[in-house]
Each structure stands twice: as C-alpha cells, then as structure tokens.
Amino acid sequence: MTSDQAPHPVLLCADDYGLSPGVNEAIRDLIAAGRLTATSVMTLCPYWAEGAAPLKALSDRADMGADVGLHFTLTDQPPLGPMPKLAPEGTLPPLGRLMRLAYTGGLDAAEIRDELARQITAFTAAWGGPPAYIDGHQHIHQLPTVRNAVADALATLPGTYVRLCGEPPADILRRGVAVPKTLLIGGLGGGLARIARARGIPANDSFRGVYDFSGRIPFGALMERFLDRPGRRTLVMVHPGIPDAALRRADPLVDQRKVEYDYLKGPEFAALLNDHRIRLARFAELATV
C-alpha cells in the first residue's frame, strides 16, 4: 500500500462481553482507547445487566463507540428459559454434543428459536434497543437449525448484520494460522452464508482471528497475519480480558485473554495499525472502500 492511500477500515470485535467483570472492564477500556470497534454480548451471563450501562455510555460518545451485538450462546451456560430437550438439567451442552445434535437433526427448532428470542429480549431490555448484529459463541450460529433461527430473527431486525466465519481457503492457507481449525469453522458456515446472500442480510466478507490460544506464537505476530491484505469488509475476532474469579469459574480461556488485552492496549498494536495503514472502523464504514 502506498503512502498516499487512505487507511483501510477493518472491524475489530471482542467476543464474550458479560462473561465476567474482568472481561467487561477490558473490553470497555479498549473501546475507550479506540482499540476495538465492536463487542459481542452474552446476555445469558450474570454480568451483562450490570455491564450494559457503562458500555452504552461509551458507545454513545461521538469520538469513539462500537457496534454492540448479540453473542448467541447455546453451550455450557444455563439458558434463559426452559429447554427440556437441549438442557434438561438446566445447563446447555458442550460444543461437541451440540454439533452432533445439529448435524443429526436432533435440535428442536422451537426450543432454539425461543431461546434466541429470550437472549435478544435480554439484550434489548438492558441496552434499550436491538443488537447491531448477531453472531454465536463458539460460532454456533452457523449450525443447522440454529442458522435458520438466526436468519428468521434478523428478518425482524432491519439493518442488523450477521457475522460470517468463512474466507477463501487460499487466503487461510497463505496466512498459515490454525489452518485446519479455520477451514473447519469456515466450512461450517457455508449454509448461513447462502441464507444471508439469498435474504440480503448484511454481513462481513472476510473473517480472521482464529488460533489455538496456546501462546506458542506471540499474539502480535498473529495480529500481523490477521491484518495482512484486508478485504472490503474484514472482521477480526479477539478475546481480551482481565482474569478474575468469575472468569476462571465460567471459561477455560483465562490467561491468554490478558495477553490479548495487554497487546491490544499497547504501543506495538498502534504501530502495527500505522505500518499496515489500517483504520479500525465500525461495520457501517466498511462498505466505503
């Protein structure tokens, strides 16, 4: 990219707002610093209701702000309402079991639709308006039955976009980060992508940020690959957080969240954006390039 070209807009989205106070604090801090432009909310988690007001105060500021969307969740957490088939004991299943049910026709469409409606209602009640977009915790919004419920919900929310998790395999291979995992996640999203195109649902056209969370490769080196050659509507997913007891109880991904938070807040990330001529932007700005 030559020096006279305008910076290229990229949407940088932090997942899991609401999961713990430390995750909430880290995400708000990065939005305030201009280092994030979207965050996905887990409305069935206990820290969403108390975290909504301070997040909205940031989002409403003219000099910053972020898209705030629903991180539809169907794994490991208690659902917001009764789901006797999927969560008979009051806790949603792990991802592997959910996927088996989805691909063998074992999900009850009405249960999924009703829980999605409850999670949207919990978002709206605390936020005062609908989500800017819908995606899925552990990418579950792409699964059969689930994706149809998501698409139907989006039809009632004009202007709300959806996160697509696919990208051309050649780009994934060139990037060389968690290639099998990235290809699998992208491959699972083909059905949702077709539905979005057929129904005219707004969506990103490039998805990055998948890795193994091992810390084996420095996070800065990963971000450099994720931001290389951005497309027209590139969305990069991150998981920053400040470890706390609530996070340790709720999720196995803990310490690497702090690694991401420290990097995204620091000068090396600012330098990377400048060197690659990247401008962090909200979704509405991506179509301008």
Side-chain angles (χ1 to χ4, degrees):
M1 183 175 291
T2 62
S3 60
D4 59 342
Q5 287 181 294
H8 194 104
V10 168
L11 191 152
L12 185 60
C13 178
D15 285 358
D16 302 342
Y17 193 88
L19 186 61
S20 79
V23 169
N24 290 3
E25 179 183 349
I27 290 173
R28 291 196 304 266
D29 194 22
L30 291 170
I31 292 172
R35 301 296 176 86
L36 287 174
T37 50
T39 187
S40 300
V41 170
M42 301 174 75
T43 63
L44 48 52
C45 289
Y47 302 101
W48 160 236
E50 69 182 44
L55 180 61
K56 189 163 182 59
L58 283 176
S59 182
D60 288 345
R61 286 179 56 173
D63 61 333
M64 55 181 70
D67 293 346
V68 178
L70 175 69
H71 206 41
F72 185 31
T73 302
L74 287 174
T75 57
D76 300 320
Q77 306 291 330
L80 288 179
M83 300 187 76
K85 295 181 181 177
L86 187 61
E89 298 181 3
T91 300
L92 291 159
L95 178 61
R97 180 166 177 264
L98 181 71
M99 291 181 66
R100 286 194 297 274
L101 290 170
Y103 282 99
T104 58
L107 293 180
D108 184 286
E111 270 198 354
I112 301 301
R113 186 172 58 248
D114 290 348
E115 179 61 17
L116 175 56
R118 288 189 289 263
Q119 292 187 27
I120 292 172
T121 296
F123 183 101
T124 303
W127 190 250
Y133 62 94
I134 297 177
D135 61 25
H137 184 53
Q138 298 180 310
H139 317 294
I140 58 87
H141 65 303
Q142 304 186 114
L143 298 177
T145 303
V146 182
R147 65 194 179 210
N148 299 98
V150 168
D152 289 344
L154 288 165
T156 70
L157 301 168
T160 299
Y161 63 95
V162 67
R163 175 194 288 182
L164 299 181
C165 301
E167 196 168 26
D171 293 347
I172 295 170
L173 292 169
R174 175 179 52 79
R175 193 157 54 244
V177 178
V179 170
K181 181 179 179 181
T182 308
L183 288 170
L184 174 62
I185 291 171
L188 294 178
L192 179 60
R194 288 190 291 272
I195 292 171
R197 286 194 297 269
R199 298 194 184 186
I201 299 169
N204 56 299
D205 60 15
S206 176
F207 176 70
R208 292 116 184 256
V210 177
Y211 72 107
D212 62 9
F213 300 113
S214 68
R216 180 178 56 85
I217 300 174
F219 187 65
L222 293 173
M223 285 299 295
E224 185 166 12
R225 297 191 208 179
F226 295 148
L227 291 173
D228 184 47
R229 306 184 199 181
R232 181 167 173 262
R233 289 183 172 178
T234 294
L235 187 156
V236 180
M237 166 189 69
V238 292
H239 294 83
I242 299 170
D244 57 22
L247 178 58
R248 294 185 188 280
R249 288 193 301 269
D251 195 75
L253 178 58
V254 177
D255 294 334
Q256 188 63 18
R257 292 182 189 267
K258 181 64 161 54
V259 171
E260 292 195 19
Y261 169 65
D262 289 342
Y263 175 79
L264 293 171
K265 191 176 180 182
E268 291 184 14
F269 184 49
L272 177 65
L273 295 174
N274 183 66
D275 291 345
H276 284 253
R277 298 193 62 77
I278 298 291
R279 174 175 63 85
L280 299 183
R282 297 170 76 164
F283 183 80
E285 303 171 73
L286 299 187
T288 63
V289 297

